[in-house]
Amino acid sequence: MQKFTVERLTFDTLTQLPNSWEPADYKDLLTKTGYDNPDDIAANELTDMAHMALTDLEPTEAAQLVLEYLFEDQLTTGQIENLAHQMLTEKLWEENPELEQHEGFFKATQLLYTAYNGKFPRAEAVQFQVQLTAEDAEALSIFDQQPEAPLLRLLAQGMPDNTLLKRLFHEQLDGTSFPEAPSIIWQLTPSKKTEKSVVFDVVSSAYWLDDFKYADTYEATTQADAVAETAE
């Protein structure tokens, strides 16, 4: 077990994930809608043009096209058709059982929500900075590989006992195997590091980590996931 002082520095609610849709993505979507020369569109007009091209389609058709783009190698045509209908009413980035697809469902829904002026569910994510200060510099090495699991163990200790993360993943938080962790923390960036502290920028679904906005500075312990030995 490693001991840290955990300090929440910032906390914001987002309706769009940082860098989730780049110009190249919009061009690819335009190509999928049948637009001939997306490379000719000025960079500052790409987003609006992609939205317009999507809204030329029925909402479920547009949802299908976006899901095909994001999940082409992961989902079958039948699955995409079903999910496209569900997207109109369901928060798939929270309700779908496949956690590793949640970030993609969020990206798809945020795009369609904006394009269709609210016909799709409103997507909410959270972004915050958290500073972790160790008693000795060596302890920071726990975040060198697979940092999401030890970080979630620290964050959970700053949230209420009835928070969803604790209720659904108490065994993973207490143990040394948390394979779902990278699907819960969508974006993780170390932004500042000293000898004994590190600041992480965290982006996740409000579904999992909204309760962290109430966290004060506190002491917590954590452990890394056990690394499975791979055969030579």
Side-chain angles (χ1 to χ4, degrees), residues 95-106:
E95 297 165 16
N96 190 276
E98 303 298 332
L99 257 66
E100 68 275 10
Q101 295 170 0
H102 280 195
E103 184 179 0
F105 288 133
F106 189 101

Side-chain angles (χ1 to χ4, degrees), residues 82-215:
N82 289 335
L83 290 163
H85 284 89
Q86 291 175 29
M87 276 185 75
L88 277 163
T89 55
E90 295 181 27
K91 296 180 176 182
L92 292 182
W93 67 95
E94 296 178 359
E95 297 165 16
N96 190 276
E98 303 298 332
L99 257 66
E100 68 275 10
Q101 295 170 0
H102 280 195
E103 184 179 0
F105 288 133
F106 189 101
K107 287 168 59 173
T109 309
Q110 76 176 46
L111 177 68
L112 293 160
Y113 175 86
T114 306
Y116 280 91
N117 290 321
K119 272 190 182 176
F120 288 80
R122 186 171 186 266
E124 278 200 355
V126 295
Q127 181 175 32
F128 57 87
Q129 284 191 322
V130 59
Q131 180 168 292
L132 312 174
T133 305
E135 292 182 330
D136 66 273
E138 282 296 306
L140 287 180
S141 64
I142 201 171
F143 303 110
D144 289 348
Q145 292 183 325
Q146 302 172 340
E148 293 89 354
L151 176 58
L152 276 177
R153 293 184 177 108
L154 291 172
L155 299 178
Q157 290 167 69
M159 297 196 285
D161 287 342
N162 65 349
T163 197
L164 187 67
L165 184 70
K166 287 186 178 181
R167 286 190 282 120
L168 292 187
F169 294 108
H170 60 94
E171 289 181 5
Q172 291 89 331
L173 290 167
D174 292 342
T176 56
S177 178
F178 199 166
E180 300 90 350
S183 299
I184 292 172
I185 293 182
W186 293 342
Q187 298 180 21
L188 183 61
T189 313
S191 61
K192 185 180 172 185
K193 196 169 184 180
T194 67
E195 186 187 358
K196 291 187 178 180
S197 73
V198 61
V199 174
F200 280 115
D201 291 332
V202 181
V203 176
S204 177
S205 170
Y207 187 62
W208 297 117
L209 294 182
D210 192 53
D211 282 344
F212 191 67
K213 68 187 173 192
Y214 304 116

Side-chain angles (χ1 to χ4, degrees), residues 19-110:
N19 308 313
S20 55
W21 291 100
E22 301 285 359
D25 296 312
Y26 289 127
K27 289 179 183 180
D28 289 342
L29 285 177
L30 283 161
T31 301
K32 282 180 75 69
T33 64
Y35 195 94
D36 287 337
N37 297 303
D39 286 336
D40 295 343
I41 301 170
N44 62 346
E45 295 176 3
L46 269 172
T47 305
D48 289 341
M49 289 298 291
H51 287 167
M52 284 171 58
L54 288 170
T55 53
D56 282 342
L57 305 169
E58 289 295 315
T60 51
E61 285 182 294
Q64 202 168 318
L65 184 143
V66 174
L67 290 177
E68 281 173 359
Y69 177 66
L70 289 171
F71 295 112
E72 191 174 17
D73 300 327
Q74 298 176 52
L75 299 172
T76 66
T77 303
Q79 287 173 319
I80 287 171
E81 286 175 6
N82 289 335
L83 290 163
H85 284 89
Q86 291 175 29
M87 276 185 75
L88 277 163
T89 55
E90 295 181 27
K91 296 180 176 182
L92 292 182
W93 67 95
E94 296 178 359
E95 297 165 16
N96 190 276
E98 303 298 332
L99 257 66
E100 68 275 10
Q101 295 170 0
H102 280 195
E103 184 179 0
F105 288 133
F106 189 101
K107 287 168 59 173
T109 309
Q110 76 176 46

